[in-house]
C-alpha cells in the first residue's frame, strides 16, 4: 500500500480488541526458571502460591504450555472504555529528525491511570472479585500501577491497600490523590505499619524506599489479613500475559498496512510493558517465522539487564517472597531517587530474563538527563508529554532513527509509549531548572547489592 495511505493514527475497531491473551512462554524452547520456595529451594506449588495470589492468577502464572488464554467477556467490556489504543505514525518526529526511518509508537495513555497498567489491573481485580475476596494489596513505584488498580477495584467494589515507594509518594502527591479519590488507602513505604517496614527503616534510616521494600509490606499485609490477596503490576508471568493485548493490537494495526518493523523498543523496569509489546513479535521470532531486533531500555541508575547477574534472588527487599531466577542487582539494592519510579525494581521478569539470556533481545541503559532531553524533544514535536519511563524508549528510538539518518537506511522502528507524564511535573521542573543529575552506581555499589543473593543449590 502506498506510503501516503498510512494514517497518522491507526485505530482498530472495538471488534478487533483481542479476545485471547497470548502466552509467550508456550513458544519458548527454554522455559523461564520456576519460582522457588525460599525455605526449601523447591519449585513453588499452586497451593503455596494461592496463599498469596488469587487462584486463577496462580494457574496463569504456572502455565507454560497454553499459547492462548480466553479473556473473560467482563474484562473485554471494561477494555472498551479505553481500547483499542492507537498506533501512531510519528510523521512530525521523523521530519524534525530528518531521518529516512519510519517511526511508530503504541500509545497506552488513553485512560485516567495514564498508562498501560490498567490492562492487567482489571484482570487481577476481576479474578479477586470472582474468588469472593474482600480486597487486595499492592505496591506502586511511580504510581501508575496503584492508580490503575484503584480504578479497577473501585469498578468492582474491592478494597485496596497500596504501599507507594516513599520517594514517589513525596514527589507525586497528585498521583496519590487520584488513588485516594478512587477509594484506595495509600501508605508511603517503607512504613512503620508493618513488621518488615519497621525492620527496613531500622537498617536504613531515612531511606527513600524501593519497589522491593513496598512489595514486602504489601505481601505481609495480604497474608496476615483474611479475605485479602496480593497483586503485582509487573515482573510476573501472569502480568506479561495480560499485557500481551498491547502487542496483539500493535501487530494487527501494522498488518493492516503490510508494515514489518525492523526494531521494536520498550522501556524495562520489571518487564510488563516491554513483555506485552513484544509478545507476538517474539513469538514469531521463536517459531522462526520472522526476525526482529528487540531492544530493552533501562535506567543507568538501575541497570539490572546490563550490569546485573542472572541468578535466583528474592523479588522483595524483606526477603519474604518466592525466589525468581532473573537478571538482578540484588534484593538489597536500593537505587538512587531517580524520576522514573516505575523502573526502579532491582530485578527483571523471569520470562524476559530467559529470553535475554538466550540472545533473543538486547538491552541498553541510558542516563536520566539524556532521557528527559528526549522527552522534552518528543513533547514539543509530537504533542504528548510522555511518562519518564516511556521516555527511555523514546531516547533509544530517536538514537536509532538518527543512525538511519547517517546510513540512509529506511528502517521501521516501533516503540511503546506506556503513558503520560502529567503527574511527573516535579521531574520536568528539575530538568527545566537544570537541577537534574545522573547517578550511576559504582561497581562497589552493585557488589554490595549482589552480596545479598540467596544460597541456592547449583548457584555460584
Amino acid at each position: 500500500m502506498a506510503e501516503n495511505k498510512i494514517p497518522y493514527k491507526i485505530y482498530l475497531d472495538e471488534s478487533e480488541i483481542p479476545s485471547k491473551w497470548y502466552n509467550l512462554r508456550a513458544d519458548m524452547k527454554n522455559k523461564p526458571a520456576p519460582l522457588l520456595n525460599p525455605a526449601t529451594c523447591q519449585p513453588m506449588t499452586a497451593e503455596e502460591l494461592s496463599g498469596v495470589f488469587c487462584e486463577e492468577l496462580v494457574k496463569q502464572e504456572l502455565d507454560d504450555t497454553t499459547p492462548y488464554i480466553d479473556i473473560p467477556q467482563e474484562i473485554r467490556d471494561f477494555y472498551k472504555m479505553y481500547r483499542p489504543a492507537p498506533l501512531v505514525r510519528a510523521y512530525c518526529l521523523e521530519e524534525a529528525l530528518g531521518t529516512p526511518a519510519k517511526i511508530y509508537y503504541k500509545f497506552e495513555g488513553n485512560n485516567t491511570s495514564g498508562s498501560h497498567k490498567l490492562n492487567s489491573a482489571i484482570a487481577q481485580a476481576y479474578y479477586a472479585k470472582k474468588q469472593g475476596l474482600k480486597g487486595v494489596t499492592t505496591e506502586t513505584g511511580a504510581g501508575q500501577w496503584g492508580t490503575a488498580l484503584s480504578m479497577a477495584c473501585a469498578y468492582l467494589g474491592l478494597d485496596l491497600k497500596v504501599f507507594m515507594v516513599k520517594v514517589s509518594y513525596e514527589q507525586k502527591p497528585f498521583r496519590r490523590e487520584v488513588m485516594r479519590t478512587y477509594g484506595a488507602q495509600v501508605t508511603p513505604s517503607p512504613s512503620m505499619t508493618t513488621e518488615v517496614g519497621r525492620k527496613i527503616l531500622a537498617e536504613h534510616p531515612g531511606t527513600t524506599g524501593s519497589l522491593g521494600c513496598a512489595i514486602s509490606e504489601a505481601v505481609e499485609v495480604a497474608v496476615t489479613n483474611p479475605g485479602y490477596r496480593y497483586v503485582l503490576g509487573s515482573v510476573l508471568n501472569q502480568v506479561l500475559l495480560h499485557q500481551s493485548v498491547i502487542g496483539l493490537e500493535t501487530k494487527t494495526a501494522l498488518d493492516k498496512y503490510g508494515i514489518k518493523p525492523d526494531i521494536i523498543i520498550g522501556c524495562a523496569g520489571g518487564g510488563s510493558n516491554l513483555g506485552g509489546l513484544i509478545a507476538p513479535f517474539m513469538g514469531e521470532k521463536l517459531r522462526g517465522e520472522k526476525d526482529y531486533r528487540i531492544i530493552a531500555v533501562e535506567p543507568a541508575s538501575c541497570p539490572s539487564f546490563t550490569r546485573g547477574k542472572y541468578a535466583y534472588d528474592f523479588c522483595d527487599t524483606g526477603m519474604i517472597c518466592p525466589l525468581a531466577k532473573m537478571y538482578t542487582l540484588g534484593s538489597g539494592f536500593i537505587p538512587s531517587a531517580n524520576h522514573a519510579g516505575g523502573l526502579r525494581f532491582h530485578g527483571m521478569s523471569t520470562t524476559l530474563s530467559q529470553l535475554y539470556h538466550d540472545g533473543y533481545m538486547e538491552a541498553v541503559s541510558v542516563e536520566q538527563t539524556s532521557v528527559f532531553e528526549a522527552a522534552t524533544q518528543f513533547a514539543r514535536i509530537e504533542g504528548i508529554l510522555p511518562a519518564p519511563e516511556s521516555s527511555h524508549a523514546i531516547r533509544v528510538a530517536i538514537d536509532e532513527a538518527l543512525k538511519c539518518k547517517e546510513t540512509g537506511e529506511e528502517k521501521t522502528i516501533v516503540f511503546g509509549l506506556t503513558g503520560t507524564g502529567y503527574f511527573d511535573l516535579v521531574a520536568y521542573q528539575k530538568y527545566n531548572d537544570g537541577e537534574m543529575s545522573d547517578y550511576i552506581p559504582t561497581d562497589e555499589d552493585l557488589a554490595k547489592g549482589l552480596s545479598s543473593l540467596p544460597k541456592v543449590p547449583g548457584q555460584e
Side-chain angles (χ1 to χ4, degrees):
M1 191 168 285
E3 171 79 10
N4 61 8
K5 293 292 181 70
I6 297 174
Y8 192 93
K9 287 190 176 79
I10 303 174
Y11 281 107
L12 303 180
D13 188 78
E14 274 187 7
S15 64
E16 295 175 291
I17 295 174
S19 60
K20 298 175 187 291
W21 291 304
Y22 169 55
N23 184 5
L24 177 58
R25 289 164 285 152
D27 285 315
M28 291 173 64
K29 182 179 178 181
N30 295 327
K31 307 296 185 185
L35 297 172
L36 299 184
N37 184 314
T40 64
C41 288
Q42 294 300 307
M44 293 286 290
T45 64
E47 184 179 1
E48 289 172 325
L49 288 171
S50 64
V52 179
F53 303 110
C54 302
E55 292 167 9
E56 191 64 33
L57 294 170
V58 170
K59 291 179 186 176
Q60 294 177 1
E61 184 66 28
L62 299 178
D63 189 337
D64 281 346
T65 57
T66 308
Y68 289 94
I69 295 174
D70 288 334
I71 304 175
Q73 188 60 48
E74 296 91 332
I75 296 175
R76 293 192 74 213
D77 288 342
F78 185 91
Y79 279 167
K80 289 176 184 175
M81 284 199 275
Y82 65 101
R83 306 206 72 84
L87 179 69
V88 184
R89 172 73 183 270
Y91 282 114
C92 298
L93 183 61
E94 292 171 14
E95 184 179 357
L97 297 176
T99 178
K102 300 172 180 63
I103 307 171
Y104 295 83
Y105 58 90
K106 181 66 165 171
F107 181 48
E108 290 289 315
N110 286 343
N111 64 79
T112 301
S113 74
S115 81
H116 68 294
K117 295 289 188 177
L118 199 52
N119 301 328
S120 185
I122 186 58
Q124 296 193 52
Y126 168 80
Y127 290 121
K129 182 73 172 181
K130 189 178 177 184
Q131 193 173 319
L133 297 176
K134 178 183 177 183
V136 293
T137 70
T138 197
E139 81 299 323
T140 193
Q144 291 173 334
W145 168 246
T147 306
L149 191 61
S150 69
M151 291 177 65
C153 287
Y155 182 79
L156 294 168
L158 286 170
D159 184 47
L160 172 62
K161 302 181 190 301
V162 179
F163 287 88
M164 187 174 185
V165 176
K166 187 176 290 183
V167 63
S168 292
Y169 183 93
E170 293 168 351
Q171 286 176 348
K172 302 175 186 181
F174 299 123
R175 176 74 72 178
R176 179 182 75 219
E177 291 311 311
V178 175
M179 287 184 260
R180 292 180 64 209
T181 300
Y182 279 97
Q185 175 187 321
V186 188
T187 304
S189 175
S191 73
M192 295 297 288
T193 65
T194 65
E195 185 178 332
V196 69
R198 291 188 289 272
K199 181 181 177 184
I200 292 169
L201 285 170
E203 293 175 2
H204 305 279
T207 179
T208 55
S210 70
L211 279 168
C213 297
I215 290 170
S216 295
E217 293 202 271
V219 170
E220 180 183 317
V221 171
V223 299
T224 55
N225 285 273
Y228 283 80
R229 291 294 186 276
Y230 167 70
V231 295
L232 183 64
S234 190
V235 182
L236 294 174
N237 294 329
Q238 56 187 270
V239 182
L240 271 66
L241 173 73
H242 305 150
Q243 294 295 357
S244 66
V245 294
I246 303 172
L248 292 166
E249 283 189 6
T250 301
K251 190 171 188 315
T252 298
L254 291 170
D255 288 349
K256 275 182 180 291
Y257 291 90
I259 304 162
K260 179 188 176 293
D262 298 295
I263 306 171
I264 304 169
I265 302 168
C267 61
S272 66
N273 92 89
L274 175 66
L277 174 66
I278 69 173
F281 304 98
M282 182 63 80
E284 289 182 318
K285 188 167 181 170
L286 289 166
R287 296 189 299 270
E289 297 167 2
K290 292 181 182 176
D291 194 20
Y292 305 96
R293 184 179 169 212
I294 296 172
I295 308 174
V297 190
E298 60 186 6
S301 59
C302 194
S304 50
F305 264 148
T306 52
R307 296 177 68 193
K309 183 176 181 180
Y310 189 41
Y312 268 107
D313 193 14
F314 288 97
C315 291
D316 63 317
T317 305
M319 301 183 181
I320 59 176
C321 286
L323 302 177
K325 190 170 186 183
M326 57 187 176
Y327 278 87
T328 179
L329 300 170
S331 61
F333 178 79
I334 297 181
S336 64
N338 67 48
H339 290 283
L343 306 185
R344 298 179 75 248
F345 185 56
H346 63 270
M348 192 63 64
S349 150
T350 58
T351 297
L352 295 181
S353 291
Q354 185 68 58
L355 291 167
Y356 179 64
H357 188 70
D358 290 343
Y360 288 103
M361 52 191 275
E362 55 193 90
V364 296
S365 66
V366 288
E367 296 177 13
Q368 187 169 229
T369 52
S370 175
V371 166
F372 274 85
E373 177 188 20
T376 301
Q377 185 178 10
F378 183 85
R380 293 176 181 179
I381 296 168
E382 286 289 323
I384 296 173
L385 187 74
E389 293 79 14
S390 311
S391 302
H392 287 68
I394 294 172
R395 172 73 276 163
V396 173
I398 289 174
D399 291 346
E400 291 296 327
L402 290 175
K403 289 178 186 175
C404 290
K405 183 178 182 179
E406 293 176 7
T407 63
E409 294 174 284
E410 295 186 12
K411 290 184 178 179
T412 298
I413 300 167
V414 174
F415 71 89
L417 181 51
T418 63
T420 55
Y422 298 104
F423 289 109
D424 300 282
L425 292 175
V426 169
Y428 278 95
Q429 180 184 13
K430 294 280 188 188
Y431 176 75
N432 292 333
D433 289 345
E435 297 174 358
M436 182 171 283
S437 61
D438 292 316
Y439 178 76
I440 301 174
T442 64
D443 290 342
E444 290 74 20
D445 292 333
L446 297 184
K448 185 178 179 182
L450 291 170
S451 67
S452 64
L453 289 179
K455 305 298 182 197
V456 175
Q459 180 163 292
E460 296 179 6

